[in-house]
Amino acid sequence: MLRGIDVSAYQSSTYGTDGLSFVFIKATEGRSYVNPKLAAQTKRARDAGCVVGFYHFLWPGNLTAQAEYFVSKAPEKAGDILAVDWETTGDGTHASNAEKDTFIRKVKQLRPDNRVVLYCNRSYWLNVDETSYAGDGLWIADYVTAGKPRIKAKWRFHQYTDDPVDTNVADFTTKAALKDWATV
């Protein structure tokens, strides 16, 4: 399995990259937030030769506008991965299953040359999700042994801890295999 991390404005733009094959970077949230460190964090990952992914924190409502906002702010490069972060918002709500699915499909329509994946935690996958639609792959958060999330579904990425940063593994044998998959 490959090692990777995900970062947002809470992390430094000079995060460590030793041993990493991929980095996911928070790009946007809703229809108004852009990670102020997006460019610097992206440059750091690209300079380290990592496969790069960008994620959007999804809010309920205005799905087309959110998808358009995300793709307008996330860098556009072949081989980058796009992700929707589906979880509880700061006000205690979450996008519905239909909204999550609509958002993924809209991003895939707007960026047909990029893989689009779903990020959610184990509880959401098992108790909230009703469609099992994850676009091109599932990125599951479950804080257990790396590569052993407690789900039956096929997954591509597994976030297994947030200490000291959100740390992930990818279910690919080599970085070349991940790059091949990511290049649609």
Side-chain angles (χ1 to χ4, degrees):
M1 278 183 283
L2 305 179
R3 291 185 47 232
I5 61 171
D6 59 276
V7 296
S8 67
Y10 294 108
Q11 284 76 43
S12 167
S13 296
T14 58
Y15 54 85
T17 57
D18 288 348
L20 299 183
S21 296
F22 63 95
V23 176
F24 279 98
I25 302 158
K26 181 174 185 176
T28 55
E29 181 172 331
R31 294 177 296 144
S32 60
Y33 175 83
V34 177
N35 174 359
K37 297 178 182 175
L38 177 61
Q41 289 175 334
T42 301
K43 182 178 183 333
R44 179 80 173 170
R46 293 203 198 287
D47 287 352
C50 294
V51 173
V52 179
F54 300 99
Y55 69 91
H56 173 83
F57 189 96
L58 188 63
W59 281 74
N62 302 298
L63 285 304
T64 296
Q66 284 189 71
E68 290 169 346
Y69 187 70
F70 176 42
V71 300
S72 76
K73 303 300 182 187
E76 186 170 358
K77 182 178 178 189
D80 285 347
I81 302 164
L82 302 176
V84 56
D85 179 351
W86 185 42
E87 57 185 290
T88 303
T89 65
D91 67 4
T93 63
H94 64 80
S96 69
N97 281 264
E99 288 174 318
K100 175 258 300 177
D101 294 354
T102 297
F103 181 86
I104 292 170
R105 287 186 174 98
K106 186 64 179 178
V107 171
K108 286 180 67 62
Q109 177 189 356
L110 294 169
R111 286 273 188 94
D113 297 329
N114 294 100
R115 295 281 187 181
V116 182
V117 301
L118 169 67
Y119 167 91
C120 68
N121 64 40
R122 178 178 179 264
S123 177
Y124 260 60
W125 185 251
L126 296 177
N127 303 311
V128 178
D129 185 87
E130 297 170 349
T131 66
S132 300
Y133 182 64
D136 296 313
L138 178 60
W139 174 15
I140 191 76
D142 187 23
Y143 293 177
V144 294
T145 303
K148 298 190 181 211
R150 295 166 297 160
I151 60 170
K152 289 184 168 82
K154 179 163 177 47
W155 54 272
R156 290 289 184 174
F157 303 94
H158 173 209
Q159 182 185 89
Y160 63 91
T161 186
D162 61 0
D163 185 22
V165 297
D166 288 347
T167 308
N168 303 268
V169 292
D171 191 20
F172 295 90
T173 53
T174 64
K175 186 161 54 166
L178 172 57
K179 284 182 180 180
D180 285 348
W181 175 81
T183 304
V184 177

